Every structure is written in structure tokens, then in C-alpha cells.
Amino acid sequence: MATPSFDLADIKRRMQGAVNALKHDLGSLRTGRATPSLLDPITVDAYGAAMSMAQVATISVPEPRLLSVSVWDRGMVAAVEKAIRESDLGLNPMTEGQTIRLRIPEMNEQRRKEMVKVAHKYTEEARVAVRHVRRDGLDLLKKLEKDGAISQDDEKRQADQVQKATDQHIAEIDGVLASKEKEIMQV
């Protein structure tokens, strides 16, 4: 069996993956402003399979509070409209030929606070994921040091590098949350 080796770049890549997942999750949160990523979680029953909205239509933002969904196949318009209605986004589609218009309603203060709580939950999950990666890296370093593969000084130096990477990624996560929170609370 090959002995595992320590790779700081891999640890940073895994931590960055947690940050990217957070950005994706926060991108699908409704802020009162129209964004194409708002429709990412919706799947359409098309051609006997569940397809994402991007696979059956083009989504554009002609105005800050309006989404325009141009369905490619005329026969799929009803299925796309049904999928939007049945989603928990609270959007009311208006169909004009092969184009579906979605007006994004104004969010009240209570709804904004609920969205901020959801954003905090996503952020905490990302922080936990980064900490798990840190724990895995530190455990590997301790094992390598115990097995005699690296010296105690090397273990300490590399553990410090893992902690610095963790601190950087946690700070980035906090920055992403702060900007999303500001965006949600903006009236």
C-alpha cells in the first residue's frame, strides 16, 4: 500500500470547492432582483426525463425585476410553465407564445429576514466543510509525523500553512455572506 502524501494545493482546492458551492447556493436565493440563476433549482419534465431549465429554454433579464424565458420547443411551453408554477419560488408565469415572462415581486421585511437566515445556514455549512478539510489535512500530517515520514518541524510548519489556508477561506466565506446579506436587505 502506498503511503499517503501531504498536498497543500489539494487541501486548498477542496476548501475552494466549499466556497464555490456556497456561492452557487447563495446565487439561487431570491433577493428581489431578477437573476437567471433563480431558476436553476427548477426541473422540467421534458421528453420523458427531468431536465434543468437551461436545457429547454434561454433565460434573460430584460429588466431588473423581470425574467424572460424563451422556450426552444413550442410543445414544451406548458411543461415549463407548470414547472415554474409548482416550484416554491412564488412566481406567476405569463405566457406570450414561446416566451414566458416572470415578474419578480417585491420582498417584504419579514421575507428578507428569512432569506438572510437561509444564507447564514448555507454559510455555516460551508464553514463546516472547510473545517472538515482542515481536520483531514491535520490528521494526515500527524499520521505522517508519527510514521516518521516527516519531521516534527515539518509537521508544525505544514500545519501552520493548513491553518492559514483555512483562515483565508473562512474570511472569503464571511465576505460572500456579507455581500449577499447586503444584497438581500437592499430595498
Side-chain angles (χ1 to χ4, degrees):
M1 184 172 131
T3 57
S5 64
F6 178 75
D7 184 7
L8 184 64
D10 182 55
I11 287 176
K12 287 181 178 180
R13 181 192 55 76
R14 289 173 53 201
M15 288 180 179
Q16 191 59 46
V19 173
N20 293 341
L22 171 68
K23 288 178 181 177
H24 181 267
D25 289 345
L26 291 180
S28 65
L29 275 183
R30 205 172 105 197
T31 61
R33 235 182 1 194
T35 60
S37 64
L38 186 64
L39 301 180
D40 282 351
I42 299 177
T43 56
V44 180
D45 189 23
Y47 313 111
M51 301 177 109
S52 71
M53 190 68 71
Q55 291 176 310
V56 295
T58 303
I59 304 165
S60 60
V61 185
E63 297 174 24
R65 296 199 159 282
L66 182 72
L67 281 175
S68 177
V69 180
S70 301
V71 183
W72 299 325
D73 182 359
R74 186 178 294 280
M76 293 304 306
V77 174
V80 170
E81 186 177 357
K82 180 181 176 196
I84 293 170
R85 280 192 201 284
E86 291 177 352
S87 71
D88 60 351
L89 295 175
L91 299 175
N92 188 21
M94 297 172 285
T95 307
E96 302 165 2
Q98 282 184 246
T99 303
I100 300 173
R101 300 201 185 286
L102 302 167
R103 180 116 351 242
I104 308 296
E106 192 73 40
M107 287 177 32
N108 61 19
E109 186 71 17
Q110 181 183 358
R111 184 77 176 127
R112 289 179 193 282
K113 288 181 180 174
E114 288 173 18
M115 286 291 145
V116 168
K117 284 181 184 175
V118 172
H120 278 273
K121 185 182 90 146
Y122 287 157
T123 303
E124 188 54 36
E125 289 171 2
R127 284 188 194 117
V128 168
V130 167
R131 290 182 193 125
H132 282 304
V133 173
R134 176 188 63 188
R135 186 198 61 220
D136 292 346
L138 294 177
D139 287 350
L140 176 62
L141 285 171
K142 286 177 186 163
K143 183 182 181 328
L144 290 172
E145 194 245 326
K146 182 181 169 209
D147 293 347
I150 60 173
S151 69
Q152 204 171 16
D153 290 342
D154 283 344
E155 188 265 340
K156 177 74 173 130
R157 185 178 45 78
Q158 289 178 334
D160 288 344
Q161 290 176 336
V162 170
Q163 186 58 49
K164 283 180 187 170
T166 303
D167 293 343
Q168 286 175 336
H169 286 88
I170 295 287
E172 185 178 352
I173 287 170
D174 291 342
V176 168
L177 173 66
S179 67
K180 187 65 175 187
E181 200 171 334
K182 182 180 173 191
E183 184 182 327
I184 291 172
M185 295 309 286
Q186 182 180 341
V187 178

